[in-house]
């Protein structure tokens, strides 16, 4: 039986690698995706464009200005002189905040009265608005401390110790998710397409006339993509480690084990999709439909914690959720199989159900 | 150019679309799935952060601080009697995002007016949440500190020590900071590119694979007529999806629509035209459905999702990526959408983006026509 | 460059020193011939001899490397637009839209070939009748058996009454009875004045042609009426003509 499986595997490999476009296609898109996600997705707020409207024009107001200028969190773009000009900057999206220092700022400072600094923030992107507000508040507070010589007392202050990602680089959070995204999409899509395309061309019929058994056909059609999936995984991981300096604190063994189990779910899903699609177009659209919501709901960028309760329960059926936790655990936290046992077992359970169910459906279709 | 030939192509395409009910229903469901995801399920709003507190001090002062954390909806204190090991394990298991350790001499230090540090243990893996959490902790402790100082100063000399400078913040355009408001307008751009990259990118490649492309090339059908015929058919789906997305956004998700509908429709038309032409271009270039699909995803959907400013701000990206994003048409369309929905701005403000969209659409259309002109070899 | 045809050339195909090279491989090697109006011209040869390549050049699908060809007086290189208006093409794969109904496929090609509105129904009925598909108007093309598809493809190619028909292996995979019927149709068309340029590797079909050309390795090794070819070699069937000529070529190559 294995001989026939091997024959099919060999044919799949030959077909896949013969076309030069496919050869490129297997390796360039994953890397491109990695770079797009890795470089573009950066929730760390840096370089936010702001405007500073100094209606006071005193050394003190300029000192406040230098607090904003010096920080790499801000990018001072404009110095509007009227309210209309400032509003226009915000409307156009040229700046995300306007710091408005009112006349009398320095005078009130010296008199020991409360001085107000007005900050107008573009709330369109609410997350950024929150963070930006925090940053602005920090600069103002630092300025206040310097001039708060009247207050000798300090008080409770938070001393943070950040684990796993001390520089709070959002990239470290994302990139494991991107790795998962890439291998999922590839293995899912390629498996489904391999089968459907053969059906479309008509060679499937040819195969069914031979002594080959359904299980052999299935193995032959899915195993090549396990290999390809692994190669892509290694390639993308290596690129992430080198280019993005993603930490890798766990063991390769755990990574391989987890990937193998995860591939059960993707290949099984690919098999399933091939049984419900008559044309290549349907296979491709179904894989997108199936995969994109699952990916969005996996916690790769949008924390599961933030989702409505009912949706959170739903994600317990999503293999990608577990795989992301495992990947983050391995890369960032250095966890091993014991600590990740609940996720690994959940993956195994889902993988088995999906694979066996799809296999049975596939078997039925052939008869 | 002969419109009749183009119309024959358009009619044929419509028949193809209608006959494949599976693909058609998927295409029409796209807006609802995306809106459901982004308008309902997915959120970057940070609230109810699970945390634990390890109070080593156990004085009235420290309990006061603990109460502050309990009182706010930003945090969800799971336990205030946790040990260090429990906190560590809970962070490892993703049960909590942060832990607070109040040192044993906290109360004493506070009473004597000395610096009283409180340790915050933060799970940094989700840096977005972590940053925001840190920000919340920071403002909570500083507000608390200010009150303490005021209280103590009042006790001492009866004089007030007012904060010297205070930042007064006004949030524009999205007063209650609902992330939904900023996501839904940009989502329309993403939805359109999904149609372009999914459906359109397959159409010519499929004709190549089936051999009907050759047949078409042997007829008097001109490339521009073929393109327009196909565009017309897919336009119907694109428009249907856009209208559904706008209606759902406004009526189901209460996203404001402050600007001009006509302007919205016009700019959407231009963008759709370009996005669909791009899909057809890819289809003609790739000649294989599988590859066309991948290229479509990589060049239409992903850039629209990642590089258009829809969720992830362009300003935060490194320079080379920012340069690349100037060639992503979705970027301009997202600005227009956000302007029309949230800010009520129109052509006068957004003329630059409209100009780019026009440029993009005409260039891509020309590219597609040229690509369709190729002979078999 | 004029848009006019050479005079009195309707339905005539002229090929002069046509060469088509794909990198190092010469698919068509200096072929010259002339087909008259109303003639059924057969293009024979083994697989890979250059038959399909030649037809595709004549249809404007491929660009010739060198040489010239005119179809109905229009140059295939410079006046491909006019060429396409005056031909009907049936490819090896029949190239019909499987998910469209029979009638819808016909409608589509009517639109593409610019059949005038007032003539459409008439032409459609003619095509359906010719193909024997009157009762199958509403049938999905994908469900038709091979022979029906073939006749439908022919029907789609003649809706606009082109002076010249190019048929590339039109009977491959079709049963003998259907093949015979098909050739009856071709005869009808030829008698009505249409030129039919057909490629095939069924030697018995070669007997049906007015004249045939034999292609081998991209070169034309024989061209004449079937009778003349058989007489010249002293054989009784085109099949024997074919085999003899091929063997001669292979001997010469050694």
């Amino acid at each position: 039986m294995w001989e026939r499986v091997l024959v099919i595997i060999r044919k799949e490999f030959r077909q896949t690698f013969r076309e030069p476009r496919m050869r490129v296609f297997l390796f360039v898109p994953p890397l491109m995706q990695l770079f797009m996600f890795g470089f573009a997705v950066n929730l760390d707020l840096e370089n936010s464009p702001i405007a500073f409207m100094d209606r006071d024009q005193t050394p003190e107001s300029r000192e406040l200005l230098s607090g904003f200028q010096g920080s790499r969190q801000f990018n001072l773009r404009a110095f509007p002189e009227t309210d209309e000009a400032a509003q226009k900057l915000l409307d156009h999206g040229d700046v995300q905040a306007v710091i408005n220092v009112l006349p009398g700022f320095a005078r009130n400072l010296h008199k020991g009265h409360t001085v107000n600094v007005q900050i107008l923030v573009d709330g369109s992107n609410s997350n950024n608005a929150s963070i930006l507000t925090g940053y602005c508040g920090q600069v103002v507070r630092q300025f206040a401390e310097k001039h708060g010589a009247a207050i000798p007392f300090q008080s409770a202050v938070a001393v943070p110790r950040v684990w796993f990602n001390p520089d709070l680089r959002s990239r470290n959070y994302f990139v494991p998710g991107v790795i998962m995204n890439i291998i999922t999409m590839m293995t899912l899509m390629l498996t489904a397409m391999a089968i459907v395309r053969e059906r479309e061309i008509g060679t499937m019929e040819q195969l069914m006339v031979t002594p080959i058994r359904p299980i052999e056909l299935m193995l032959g059609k899915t195993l090549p993509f396990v290999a390809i999936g692994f190669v892509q995984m290694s390639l993308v991981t290596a690129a992430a480690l080198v280019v993005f300096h993603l930490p890798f604190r766990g063991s390769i063994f755990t990574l391989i084990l987890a990937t193998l189990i995860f591939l059960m779910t993707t290949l099984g899903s690919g098999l399933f999709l091939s049984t419900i699609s008559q044309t290549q177009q349907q296979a491709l659209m179904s894989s997108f439909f199936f995969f994109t919501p699952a990916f969005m709901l996996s916690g790769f960028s949008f924390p599961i914690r933030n989702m409505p309760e009912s949706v959170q329960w739903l994600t317990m059926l999503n293999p990608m959720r577990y795989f992301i936790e495992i990947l983050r655990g391995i890369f960032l936290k250095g966890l091993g199989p014991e600590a990740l046992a609940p996720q690994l077992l959940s993956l195994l359970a889902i993988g088995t159900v999906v694979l066996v169910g799809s296999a049975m459906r596939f078997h039925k279709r052939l008869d | 150019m002969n419109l009749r030939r183009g119309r024959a192509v358009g009619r044929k395409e419509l028949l193809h679309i209608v006959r494949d009910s599976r693909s058609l229903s998927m295409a029409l469901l796209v807006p609802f799935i995306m809106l459901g995801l982004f308008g309902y399920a997915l959120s970057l709003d940070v609230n109810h952060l699970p945390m634990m507190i390890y109070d080593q001090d156990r004085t009235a002062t420290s309990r006061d601080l603990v109460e502050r954390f309990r009182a706010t909806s930003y945090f969800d204190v799971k336990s205030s009697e946790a040990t260090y090991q429990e906190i560590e394990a809970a962070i490892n298991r993703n049960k909590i995002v942060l832990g607070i350790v109040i040192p044993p001499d906290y109360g004493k230090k506070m009473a004597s007016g000395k610096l009283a540090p409180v340790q915050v243990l933060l799970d940094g893996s989700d840096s977005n949440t972590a940053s925001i959490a840190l920000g919340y902790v920071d403002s909570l402790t500083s507000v608390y500190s200010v009150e303490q100082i005021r209280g103590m100063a009042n006790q001492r000399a009866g004089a007030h020590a007012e904060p010297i400078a205070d930042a007064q913040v006004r949030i524009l355009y999205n007063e209650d900071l609902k992330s939904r408001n900023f996501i839904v307008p940009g989502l329309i751009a993403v939805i359109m590119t999904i149609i372009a990259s999914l459906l359109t990118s397959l159409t010519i490649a499929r004709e190549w694979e089936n051999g009907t492309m050759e047949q078409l090339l042997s007829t008097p059908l001109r490339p521009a007529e073929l393109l327009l015929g196909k565009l017309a058919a897919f336009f119907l789906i694109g428009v249907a999806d856009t209208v559904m997305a706008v209606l759902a956004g406004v009526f189901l998700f209460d996203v404001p629509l402050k600007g001009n509908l006509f302007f919205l429709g016009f700019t959407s038309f231009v963008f759709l035209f370009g996005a669909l032409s791009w899909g057809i271009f890819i289809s003609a270039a790739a000649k294989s459905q599988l590859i066309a699909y991948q290229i479509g995803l990589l060049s239409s959907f992903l850039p629209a999702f990642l590089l258009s400013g829809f969720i992830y701000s362009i300003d935060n990206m490194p320079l080379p990526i920012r340069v690349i994003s100037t060639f992503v048409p979705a970027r301009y369309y997202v600005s227009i959408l956000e302007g029309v929905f949230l800010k009520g701005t129109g052509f006068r403000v957004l003329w630059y983006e409209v100009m780019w969209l026009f440029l993009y659409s005409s260039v891509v259309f020309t590219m597609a026509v040229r690509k369709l002109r190729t002979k078999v070899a | 460059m004029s848009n006019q045809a050479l005079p009195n050339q309707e339905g005539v195909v002229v090929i002069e020193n046509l060469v088509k090279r794909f990198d190092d491989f010469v698919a068509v090697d200096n072929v010259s011939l002339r087909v008259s109006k109303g003639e059924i011209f057969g293009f024979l040869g083994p697989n890979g001899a250059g038959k399909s390549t030649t037809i595709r050049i004549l249809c404007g699908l491929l660009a010739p490397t060198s040489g010239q060809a005119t179809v109905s007086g229009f140059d295939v290189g410079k006046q491909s637009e006019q060429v396409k208006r005056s031909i009907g093409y049936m490819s090896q794969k029949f190239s019909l839209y499987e998910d469209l109904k029979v009638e819808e496929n016909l409608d589509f090609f009517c639109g593409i070939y610019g059949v005038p509105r007032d003539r459409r129904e008439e032409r459609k009925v003619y095509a359906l009748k010719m193909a024997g598909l009157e009762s199958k108007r509403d049938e999905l093309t994908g469900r038709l058996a091979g022979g029906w598809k073939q006749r439908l493809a022919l029907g789609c190619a003649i809706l606009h009454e082109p002076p010249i028909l190019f048929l590339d292996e039109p009977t491959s995979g079709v049963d003998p009875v259907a093949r015979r019927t098909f050739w009856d149709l071709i005869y009808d068309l030829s008698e009505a004045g249409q030129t039919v340029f057909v490629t095939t590797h069924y030697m018995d079909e070669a007997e049906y042609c007015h004249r045939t050309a034999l292609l081998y390795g991209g070169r034309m090794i024989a061209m004449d009426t079937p009778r003349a070819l058989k007489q010249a070699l002293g054989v009784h069937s085109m099949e024997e003509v074919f085999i003899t000529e091929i063997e001669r070529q292979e001997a010469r190559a050694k």
Side-chain angles (χ1 to χ4, degrees):
Chain A
M1 125 151 161
W2 283 107
E3 170 143 5
R4 287 195 286 260
V5 176
L6 269 174
V7 167
I8 298 201
I9 294 181
R10 216 178 317 167
K11 167 185 90 73
E12 286 301 321
F13 271 126
R14 279 213 189 107
Q15 272 183 317
T16 307
F17 287 105
R18 178 144 302 158
E19 240 209 277
R21 264 180 311 198
M22 269 305 268
R23 273 177 283 176
V24 164
F25 163 77
L26 281 178
F27 302 115
V28 169
L31 285 175
M32 275 184 68
Q33 257 184 287
L34 176 69
F35 294 138
M36 258 203 255
F37 266 100
F39 282 122
V41 177
N42 181 15
L43 290 181
D44 312 328
L45 223 55
E46 252 175 47
N47 236 12
S48 302
I50 62 170
F52 194 87
M53 201 157 66
D54 191 348
R55 293 270 192 75
D56 199 42
Q57 301 283 341
T58 55
E60 288 80 358
S61 66
R62 279 191 279 273
E63 192 188 327
L64 180 62
L65 168 63
S66 66
F68 284 101
Q69 265 170 335
S71 157
R72 74 162 203 274
Q73 290 161 338
F74 303 107
N75 175 3
L76 264 173
R77 280 262 185 88
F79 299 91
E81 288 175 13
T82 62
D83 283 326
E84 294 76 35
Q87 187 66 41
K88 207 166 169 198
L89 287 169
L90 283 167
D91 282 344
H92 278 251
D94 289 332
V95 297
Q96 283 178 350
V98 176
I99 320 289
N100 189 3
V101 177
L102 301 162
F105 175 77
R107 203 180 342 124
N108 284 337
L109 192 69
H110 288 304
K111 282 203 193 147
H113 291 175
T114 308
V115 169
N116 283 332
V117 175
Q118 206 188 42
I119 303 182
L120 298 166
V121 179
D122 182 345
S124 315
N125 183 330
S126 50
N127 239 41
N128 285 3
S130 296
I131 301 181
L132 195 55
T133 308
Y135 288 168
C136 291
Q138 239 175 5
V139 173
V140 173
R141 230 180 316 142
Q142 280 167 358
F143 174 82
E145 275 169 14
K146 240 196 272 172
H147 287 261
I151 304 179
F153 314 120
Q154 309 250 11
S155 187
V157 74
V159 179
R161 248 190 67 199
V162 179
W163 281 349
F164 311 134
N165 189 2
D167 307 325
L168 282 181
R169 290 171 62 225
S170 59
R171 202 167 281 157
N172 289 350
Y173 181 63
F174 280 105
V175 175
V178 179
I179 296 179
M180 173 184 76
N181 175 11
I182 291 170
I183 55 172
T184 306
M185 195 157 70
M186 279 287 171
T187 52
L188 184 70
M189 191 178 57
L190 287 177
T191 312
M193 288 294 275
I195 298 173
V196 174
R197 206 185 318 157
E198 216 157 339
R199 213 180 280 146
E200 253 189 9
I201 299 178
T203 48
M204 185 66 106
E205 218 170 52
Q206 195 74 36
L207 280 177
M208 297 203 308
V209 186
T210 68
I212 195 169
R213 298 214 301 270
I215 180 76
E216 295 163 2
L217 182 59
M218 266 187 272
L219 283 172
K221 284 274 183 197
T222 52
L223 289 180
F225 302 113
V226 172
I228 292 183
F230 259 107
V231 171
Q232 287 179 330
M233 160 78 123
S234 325
L235 182 66
V236 174
T237 307
L241 294 180
V242 168
V243 175
F244 295 119
H245 304 297
L246 183 71
F248 188 84
R249 302 191 178 119
S251 84
I252 296 197
F253 162 74
T254 323
L255 183 60
I256 294 181
L257 175 67
T259 309
L260 270 174
I261 302 181
F262 180 65
L263 283 177
M264 283 170 70
T265 64
T266 63
L267 295 174
S269 307
L271 257 186
F272 175 73
L273 283 182
S274 78
T275 62
I276 63 172
S277 312
Q278 281 82 30
T279 65
Q280 287 188 67
Q281 166 159 314
Q282 284 182 354
L284 289 172
M285 287 196 76
S286 306
S287 68
F288 180 83
F289 257 66
F290 198 72
F291 162 74
T292 306
F295 181 55
M296 297 293 171
L297 294 173
S298 67
F300 92 97
S301 168
F302 305 96
I304 295 184
R305 192 178 301 117
N306 291 353
M307 299 178 195
E309 182 115 20
S310 46
V311 179
Q312 289 192 39
W313 281 107
L314 207 62
T315 64
M316 296 198 55
L317 292 174
N318 185 355
M320 295 209 241
R321 167 200 176 138
Y322 300 111
F323 194 53
I324 270 231
E325 287 178 17
I326 294 175
L327 284 180
R328 285 202 187 120
I330 298 178
F331 279 91
L332 302 175
K333 300 185 186 179
L335 299 177
E338 323 78 34
L340 292 169
Q343 287 89 343
L344 285 169
L345 288 173
S346 309
L347 256 190
L348 190 58
I350 298 180
T352 318
V353 169
V354 171
L355 202 50
V356 170
S358 306
M360 290 192 335
R361 209 192 135 93
F362 188 77
H363 195 135
K364 243 175 83 181
R365 274 304 216 74
L366 283 185
D367 293 332
Chain B
M1 194 175 82
N2 186 320
L3 272 181
R4 200 188 300 166
R5 292 197 285 253
R7 226 182 309 161
V9 172
R11 224 175 302 146
K12 161 184 100 74
E13 288 303 319
L14 267 182
L15 283 173
H16 286 316
I17 293 174
V18 168
R19 288 278 150 78
D20 187 357
S21 49
R22 170 88 57 78
S23 298
L24 178 63
S25 39
M26 281 196 272
L28 292 177
L29 281 176
V30 168
F32 296 106
I33 298 201
M34 296 304 277
L35 278 169
L37 278 176
F38 285 96
Y40 176 66
L42 301 174
S43 164
L44 290 173
D45 300 331
V46 179
N47 257 330
H48 302 298
L49 290 166
M51 60 176 292
M52 285 182 186
I53 305 183
Y54 178 23
D55 187 354
Q56 293 177 309
D57 190 39
R58 295 169 168 276
T59 60
T61 330
S62 69
R63 276 193 283 272
D64 191 21
L65 182 61
V66 170
E67 269 320 297
R68 291 304 174 108
F69 281 101
R70 278 198 198 278
T72 165
S73 68
Y74 285 138
F75 295 113
D76 176 14
V77 181
K78 296 285 182 193
S79 157
S80 53
E81 318 270 302
T83 64
Y84 194 86
Q85 291 80 358
E86 281 171 353
I87 292 184
E88 193 175 349
I91 288 187
N92 267 350
R93 286 215 205 93
N94 283 329
K95 295 273 183 255
I96 61 173
V97 173
L98 73 159
I100 302 275
V101 178
I102 306 178
D105 52 359
Y106 175 76
K108 243 187 276 168
K109 284 208 177 127
M110 282 298 282
S112 61
K114 290 212 197 88
L115 197 64
V118 167
Q119 188 166 67
V120 179
L121 303 165
L122 203 46
D123 181 352
S125 11
D126 176 359
S127 55
N128 186 46
T129 306
S131 296
I132 298 186
L134 203 53
Y136 291 163
V137 172
D138 207 17
S139 36
L140 192 147
T141 49
S142 70
V143 164
Y144 174 74
S145 305
V146 164
E147 283 177 17
Q148 293 300 307
I149 294 174
R150 262 207 209 128
M152 279 188 282
N154 283 344
Q155 277 170 17
R156 286 197 183 191
H160 300 292
E162 292 179 32
I164 293 297
D166 200 16
Q168 259 196 6
V169 180
R170 251 188 67 202
I171 310 261
L172 301 179
Y173 310 130
N174 189 2
E175 286 73 25
D176 39 358
L177 279 188
K178 283 202 348 233
S179 60
R180 180 185 300 169
N181 279 4
F182 89 87
I183 286 183
V184 169
L187 192 57
I188 296 180
V190 174
I191 291 173
M192 276 208 217
T193 57
I194 292 179
I195 298 301
S197 55
L198 275 195
L199 279 183
T200 330
S201 67
L202 297 179
T203 178
I204 302 250
R206 189 174 52 231
E207 302 234 26
W208 274 116
E209 283 183 3
N210 289 344
T212 49
M213 189 64 186
E214 203 180 277
Q215 186 73 35
L216 286 179
L217 285 175
S218 76
T219 67
L221 185 66
R222 293 279 205 75
E225 295 158 4
L226 177 61
L227 182 55
L228 284 174
K230 286 197 184 263
L231 277 181
F234 290 113
F235 228 90
L236 286 180
I237 305 233
V239 166
D241 274 346
T242 311
V243 168
M244 284 195 286
V246 171
L247 288 177
V250 171
F251 292 114
L252 280 181
F253 294 105
D254 295 321
V255 178
L257 178 49
K258 296 183 184 157
N260 182 312
L261 263 182
F262 178 72
F263 181 64
L264 176 65
F266 172 71
T267 50
S268 305
F269 176 87
V270 177
F271 178 73
L272 195 53
F273 194 77
L276 293 176
S277 301
W278 177 248
I280 294 185
F281 171 76
I282 296 172
S283 206
K287 293 190 188 169
S288 138
Q289 287 185 73
L290 181 60
I291 295 187
Y293 170 77
Q294 263 286 290
I295 300 183
L297 277 190
L298 271 182
S299 64
S300 260
F301 174 61
L302 272 191
F305 190 79
L306 295 175
L307 302 176
S308 65
F310 148 66
I311 290 193
Y312 308 114
S313 19
I314 300 179
D315 294 303
N316 295 338
M317 302 179 193
L319 184 61
I321 303 284
R322 262 183 285 154
V323 171
I324 293 179
S325 85
T326 57
F327 295 105
V328 173
R331 169 198 179 140
Y332 304 103
Y333 186 49
V334 168
S335 299
I336 293 177
L337 287 168
E338 282 176 4
V340 171
F341 274 89
L342 300 174
K343 300 183 189 176
T345 49
F347 186 72
R348 215 172 306 151
V349 173
L350 295 163
W351 64 270
Y352 178 70
E353 282 83 0
V354 177
M355 190 191 78
W356 261 101
L357 278 190
F358 248 107
L359 187 64
Y360 160 75
S361 295
S362 4
V363 168
V364 170
F365 181 76
T366 320
M367 282 168 70
V369 172
R370 242 193 236 138
K371 200 66 194 175
L372 286 174
R373 209 170 265 161
T374 52
K375 297 203 190 285
V376 173
Chain C
M1 179 176 105
S2 82
N3 272 343
Q4 297 295 17
L6 302 172
N8 299 333
Q9 293 279 299
E10 196 194 58
V12 175
V13 179
V14 179
I15 307 181
E16 280 171 13
N17 304 104
L18 192 67
V19 175
K20 177 65 184 176
R21 213 175 279 136
F22 292 106
D23 296 328
D24 290 335
F25 173 61
V26 183
V28 178
D29 193 353
N30 216 331
V31 169
S32 302
L33 57 89
R34 190 198 151 92
V35 180
S36 322
K37 181 171 156 76
E39 207 181 340
I40 300 181
F41 191 86
F43 223 36
L44 309 173
N47 293 329
K51 311 189 298 289
S52 288
T53 312
T54 308
I55 272 207
R56 279 143 121 226
I57 294 179
L58 293 174
C59 289
L61 291 170
L62 290 175
T65 310
S66 72
Q68 267 210 311
T70 60
V71 170
S72 266
F74 296 108
D75 183 300
V76 298
K78 303 197 194 94
Q79 296 168 299
S80 59
E81 171 82 23
Q82 291 90 321
V83 167
K84 290 177 183 177
R85 278 200 222 123
S86 43
I87 63 169
Y89 172 60
M90 193 175 138
S91 75
Q92 268 182 334
K93 296 182 241 173
F94 303 161
S95 298
L96 299 164
Y97 292 104
E98 306 263 306
D99 57 340
L100 293 188
K101 297 184 189 159
V102 167
E103 175 149 27
E104 288 164 352
N105 261 305
L106 288 170
D107 278 328
F108 175 65
F109 283 103
C110 273
I112 293 295
Y113 282 119
V115 175
R117 280 228 170 195
D118 49 358
R119 295 216 63 199
R120 269 199 199 173
E121 190 60 30
E122 182 191 326
R123 294 302 300 159
K124 271 201 303 183
V125 167
Y126 175 80
L128 285 169
K129 198 157 170 209
M130 179 197 82
L133 286 168
E134 292 121 304
S135 58
K136 296 198 197 288
R137 261 189 166 184
D138 272 333
E139 187 97 12
L140 272 183
T141 307
R143 299 242 178 87
L144 297 175
W148 296 114
K149 278 192 202 171
Q150 166 217 43
R151 297 208 283 278
L152 176 60
L154 182 65
C156 287
I158 55 133
L159 289 166
H160 56 305
E161 295 172 287
I164 301 182
L165 267 183
F166 288 108
L167 309 178
D168 193 0
E169 312 247 355
T171 51
S172 36
V174 169
D175 72 78
V177 175
R179 279 203 280 132
R180 176 77 71 80
T181 320
F182 191 77
W183 276 93
D184 288 338
L185 292 175
I186 294 184
Y187 264 104
D188 290 339
L189 293 169
S190 156
E191 253 159 52
Q194 261 172 315
T195 313
V196 182
F197 192 107
V198 63
T199 70
T200 180
H201 58 248
Y202 286 114
M203 289 306 123
D204 52 340
E205 291 182 354
E207 312 270 2
Y208 301 148
C209 302
H210 293 143
R211 275 193 305 153
T212 62
L214 198 53
L215 272 187
Y216 184 80
R219 258 177 295 122
M220 200 164 69
I221 57 178
M223 178 170 77
D224 214 328
T225 65
R227 178 190 276 186
L229 288 171
K230 283 185 282 189
Q231 270 182 342
L233 289 174
V235 296
H236 300 291
S237 72
M238 281 305 291
E239 183 159 351
E240 290 171 78
V241 169
F242 189 72
I243 295 176
T244 316
E245 284 289 355
I246 303 292
E247 282 175 351
R248 256 201 209 167
Q249 291 296 314
E250 287 179 351
R252 207 173 287 167
K254 291 189 191 122

